[in-house]
Amino acid sequence: MRDHLRSLCPFLSEEQLSMFETYHAMLKDWNTRMNLTAITEAKEVAEKHFADSLLPMALIGENARIIDVGTGAGFPGVPLLIARPDLKLTLLDSLNKRLTFLDAVLQELGLSAKLVHARAEDGGRMDALRGGFDLALTRAVAHASVALEWTVPFLKVGGTSLLYKGARAEEELKEAANALKVLSCTARIETFPAPWGERYVIAAKKEQKTAKEYPRKAGTASKKPL
């Protein structure tokens, strides 16, 4: 794991590589008691969870305030925090047991992040979270049109939603044209060559304040995408 991740991400320090090793060990251990990930083998975790999470790191400004929406086992937020401890990270998930795992990981690694137990639609209406972030992240969570409704309300005007995507990124972006219009965003696709598969990030910039009716109530975006 360590050597493979070093080859994929040569910018990581030995201390950071050790932190990723610990993260992997805890992921494997806790995964025997709860469903965190289907990927646990060291090489695959190094590629498809850790290095994959770090692909768009150059798009993230110094000291950025970030929310990882539907973080699950902590991807991409925790790997980004390991590599970029300057980031101000919030991890949001609808399952409290995942946040229990993440709290244990953060404590073990000596890192700090805010943990929020909420569905994205409910979190997006919280005064403490709405309109307060430079970046919102989603990875393997939902179709672009749905993920945009879940993430854009968290952003400041001028902030960006980064949607981690695979081979269907361009198609999803076209299908999300109405969502972008309704949510007052402009978007582009960033390409990240990776040996483990086609990787893209849809970067959607928030141009105006989000209308009060968004996000709609829990479950609506999935059933009736914008």
Side-chain angles (χ1 to χ4, degrees):
M1 143 71 91
R2 188 187 190 97
D3 291 342
H4 190 50
L5 187 57
R6 184 190 291 113
S7 70
L8 296 170
C9 304
F11 52 85
L12 293 173
S13 69
E14 292 303 310
E15 181 183 4
Q16 288 167 332
L17 290 168
S18 294
M19 293 169 79
F20 277 110
E21 281 188 321
T22 299
Y23 190 5
H24 175 230
M26 293 184 72
L27 184 67
K28 284 183 67 176
D29 178 35
W30 284 64
N31 204 54
T32 63
R33 302 188 293 279
M34 65 175 72
N35 182 26
L36 290 168
T37 177
I39 298 172
T40 57
E41 190 272 323
K43 183 174 182 290
E44 279 198 292
V45 170
E47 293 176 347
K48 297 178 181 177
H49 282 330
F50 295 163
D52 200 82
S53 293
L54 300 179
L55 288 175
M57 196 163 63
L59 303 180
I60 301 174
E62 190 174 353
N63 298 313
R65 189 176 182 211
I66 295 176
I67 184 164
D68 182 358
V69 179
T71 185
F75 311 120
V78 175
L80 285 167
L81 186 60
I82 293 172
R84 291 278 306 279
D86 60 291
L87 301 177
K88 310 298 185 290
L89 177 66
T90 295
L91 300 168
L92 182 144
D93 203 86
S94 61
L95 286 184
N96 199 50
K97 63 183 181 180
R98 293 177 186 150
L99 297 175
T100 301
F101 163 70
L102 293 173
D103 185 51
V105 169
L106 292 167
Q107 288 193 45
E108 185 66 28
L109 299 182
L111 296 173
S112 178
K114 182 176 181 180
L115 304 176
V116 178
H117 177 216
R119 293 187 64 148
E121 301 96 327
D122 298 327
R125 291 187 173 277
M126 294 179 183
D127 290 341
L129 301 177
R130 187 178 178 91
F133 294 89
D134 302 302
L135 290 153
L137 315 174
T138 53
R139 181 177 178 269
V141 169
H143 186 282
S145 58
V146 177
L148 286 167
E149 184 172 349
W150 287 351
T151 56
V152 171
F154 290 107
L155 297 171
K156 301 173 181 177
V157 174
T160 303
S161 177
L162 299 181
L163 282 56
Y164 287 61
K165 292 295 174 183
R168 290 191 69 250
E170 188 171 344
E171 185 179 348
E172 283 196 39
L173 182 57
K174 289 178 182 176
E175 292 168 353
N178 187 59
L180 289 167
K181 181 179 178 181
V182 169
L183 297 167
S184 301
C185 292
T186 55
R188 68 186 191 278
I189 292 181
E190 297 283 349
T191 304
F192 296 94
W196 54 90
E198 291 185 64
R199 292 294 183 267
Y200 305 90
V201 167
I202 296 174
K205 183 179 179 182
K206 180 173 176 173
E207 303 289 356
Q208 297 179 40
K209 189 175 180 180
T210 304
K212 289 182 179 179
E213 60 262 39
Y214 301 107
R216 292 169 291 173
K217 67 180 182 179
T220 305
S222 298
K223 294 174 185 174
K224 297 179 180 179
L226 291 173

